[in-house]
Amino acid sequence: MGFEQTQAMASVDTVPLWRQYREEFPVTERLVYLNHAAVAPLTRRSAKAMQWLAEDALQFGSLHYDQWLDTYEHLRLAAARLIGAQREEVAIVKNTSEGIATVAMGLDWRPGDRVVAFREEFPANFYPWKRLEEQRCEVVWLSVNDSLESIDQACRSAKLLAISFVQYLSGFRADLNAIGEICKRRGCFFFVDAIQGLGAFPLGVDTANIDALAADGHKWLLGPEGCGLLYVRKDRQDSIFPREFGWTNVARYADYASRDMTLRPDAGRYECGTLNTIGCYGLQASIELLLEIGIDRIAPAIEALAAQLAQGALKKGYTLLHEPDAKNGSGIITIQKPGLDSRRVVQDLKQSGIIAAPRQGWVRLSPHFYINPEEIDRVVNALP
């Protein structure tokens, strides 16, 4: 490596991460966007990729369909890199809910089977297990604040444990590696709803012993709505039957005359019919951008912004639903102040060009890495 190249790399390292990639986010020209836990703005690359597909379909119909198929494959490969999986373990789904339902409905449940689930979950990761409880399974309901010892005890003889990487309301980030060790030791299927952490914090499915994982692309992955990912460990795929069954679940799906219902030999068995092609273009572009930047660089940037928000809110008399720390903090800061209506606070912030979300009487703020720390000061100053 030459001296000039070394100097250039050193120069880039001294430039704040948000500044290096600011141009990828035109939303910053208009808003301080702190709502990535809901629906994120698109990256410039993601928008351009989808615009290309729309124009291609407009001008040529399906003439370039082979390129569309390549995009499906590139998305699977990019997603596999992101979570440390194999391409054969990744399926493209509509959303997190479809991924969770695929696992919940696809396993062979028997009366008396035990599930470990958590009360604070978003409905998508609550209702499927509640439904099983009402039908034939025992569900042990824990709190995400319970100790690892309590989780270990609950996992005795349990068939499955389901938890979110990051809780949607409080922002509590679960210790997936520790929980995964418990599940592996107990022989318990480990499922993770990763939508609120994937793209913001490192996650390795092998390191955490995760058996299945689902996430949509429209939050921290910075992609479009309606295009998500389902990971199922290779040696677990034969134990999860695709209840949603269509022509592309089978190995010979390209042969329309075939009536052979043998499933595809990989996670593609969970893809039922035509995919969201334009969404795949957008999600591939956004994931590849995140991989280019590096999640190991993104995570500390998000943590610093979240800590800045939390400290600023505390100084203005707000209460934190969950106080972040290095172990279980995330990009979500949820605050409340006596006498203030959270919906009114969010509306007032919106009038100032600051986008947040009201959630169950709280104000939820969720910055991504490209936010300027000076903008966080602006948000704190705008809080009533």
Side-chain angles (χ1 to χ4, degrees):
M1 184 182 297
F3 176 73
E4 291 184 359
Q5 187 177 2
T6 302
Q7 270 197 325
M9 291 181 64
S11 177
V12 168
D13 288 341
T14 61
V15 177
L17 189 61
W18 67 266
R19 191 183 298 276
Q20 294 177 40
Y21 291 92
R22 186 79 163 181
E23 290 186 358
E24 277 291 337
F25 299 92
V27 69
T28 57
E29 299 169 12
R30 300 164 181 83
L31 301 168
V32 178
Y33 202 91
L34 304 183
N35 202 19
H36 297 85
V39 179
L42 291 173
T43 68
R44 192 181 297 276
R45 297 186 201 185
S46 183
K48 284 184 176 180
M50 291 190 289
Q51 287 163 358
W52 182 91
L53 186 279
E55 186 66 21
D56 183 60
L58 174 67
Q59 300 292 344
F60 301 103
S62 63
L63 178 64
H64 302 131
Y65 198 80
D66 56 338
Q67 295 183 39
W68 303 3
L69 296 178
D70 287 343
T71 295
Y72 304 155
E73 184 64 15
H74 293 156
L75 174 54
R76 295 186 189 98
L77 289 168
R81 282 182 57 201
L82 185 67
I83 62 175
Q86 301 299 313
R87 169 252 174 254
E88 294 78 11
E89 297 174 315
V90 176
I92 300 169
V93 293
K94 296 192 299 291
N95 46 51
T96 311
S97 294
E98 183 180 37
I100 297 172
T102 297
V103 174
M105 297 174 63
L107 286 167
D108 182 20
W109 297 101
R110 305 295 175 87
D113 280 346
R114 174 184 290 183
V115 173
V116 179
F118 295 81
R119 292 186 291 271
E120 297 91 347
E121 292 289 340
F122 189 76
N125 200 27
F126 180 91
Y127 290 147
W129 318 118
K130 187 65 177 177
R131 186 168 179 264
L132 283 173
E133 182 181 40
E134 294 172 349
Q135 292 179 340
R136 55 190 177 280
C137 293
E138 173 192 356
V139 178
V140 179
W141 294 101
L142 299 179
S143 168
V144 295
N145 298 308
D146 286 340
S147 66
L148 290 173
E149 290 75 14
S150 297
I151 294 174
D152 192 359
Q153 181 69 26
C155 282
R156 290 185 177 182
S157 302
K159 184 166 184 172
L160 176 144
L161 178 144
I163 194 170
S164 287
F165 185 11
V166 173
Q167 291 297 319
Y168 80 101
L169 181 61
S170 69
F172 177 89
R173 175 161 52 100
D175 188 343
L176 297 184
N177 291 352
I179 297 173
E181 186 280 326
I182 291 171
C183 289
K184 183 177 181 180
R185 176 162 41 83
R186 294 294 187 189
C188 177
F189 190 107
F190 185 24
F191 174 80
V192 175
D193 174 350
I195 193 171
Q196 291 292 5
L198 194 60
F201 292 90
L203 185 155
V205 291
D206 284 340
T207 304
N209 296 300
I210 295 170
D211 293 299
L213 169 155
D216 205 330
H218 67 271
K219 298 185 189 293
W220 302 93
L221 289 175
L222 302 171
E225 289 190 295
C227 190
L229 308 167
L230 170 64
Y231 158 82
V232 180
R233 186 179 295 278
K234 182 65 175 177
D235 61 9
R236 290 290 199 174
Q237 290 174 12
D238 286 341
S239 65
I240 302 174
F241 186 82
R243 297 296 176 184
E244 188 179 43
F245 208 95
W247 67 281
T248 56
N249 298 86
V250 300
R252 296 177 61 186
Y253 66 91
D255 179 1
Y256 304 155
S258 173
R259 296 299 181 260
D260 182 355
M261 294 181 66
T262 302
L263 293 173
R264 287 163 68 171
D266 55 26
R269 65 181 60 191
Y270 305 115
E271 296 174 3
C272 179
T274 303
L275 299 175
N276 175 5
T277 304
I278 197 166
C280 290
Y281 268 80
L283 186 54
Q284 177 200 337
S286 65
I287 291 179
E288 288 181 346
L289 173 62
L290 294 171
L291 289 169
E292 174 188 314
I293 300 167
I295 303 299
D296 58 337
R297 299 172 68 204
I298 290 173
I302 292 174
E303 288 178 302
L305 294 170
Q308 185 182 349
L309 266 175
Q311 293 164 11
L314 286 171
K315 288 179 181 178
K316 296 201 71 170
Y318 284 80
T319 299
L320 301 178
L321 180 56
H322 168 68
E323 190 160 352
D325 58 35
K327 183 178 179 181
N328 54 35
S330 71
I332 295 175
I333 296 297
T334 309
I335 60 175
Q336 189 181 70
K337 191 173 185 179
L340 293 182
D341 185 326
S342 63
R343 294 167 296 182
R344 180 59 184 270
V345 172
V346 169
Q347 187 61 33
D348 288 347
L349 290 174
K350 185 177 180 180
Q351 295 301 316
S352 300
I354 299 165
I355 307 303
R359 290 291 184 271
Q360 295 162 237
W362 297 79
V363 176
R364 190 181 68 183
L365 306 159
S366 49
H368 219 310
F369 77 95
Y370 65 87
I371 300 298
N372 181 345
E374 292 181 1
E375 292 172 326
I376 299 298
D377 289 337
R378 175 184 159 189
V379 173
V380 172
N381 290 334
L383 288 172

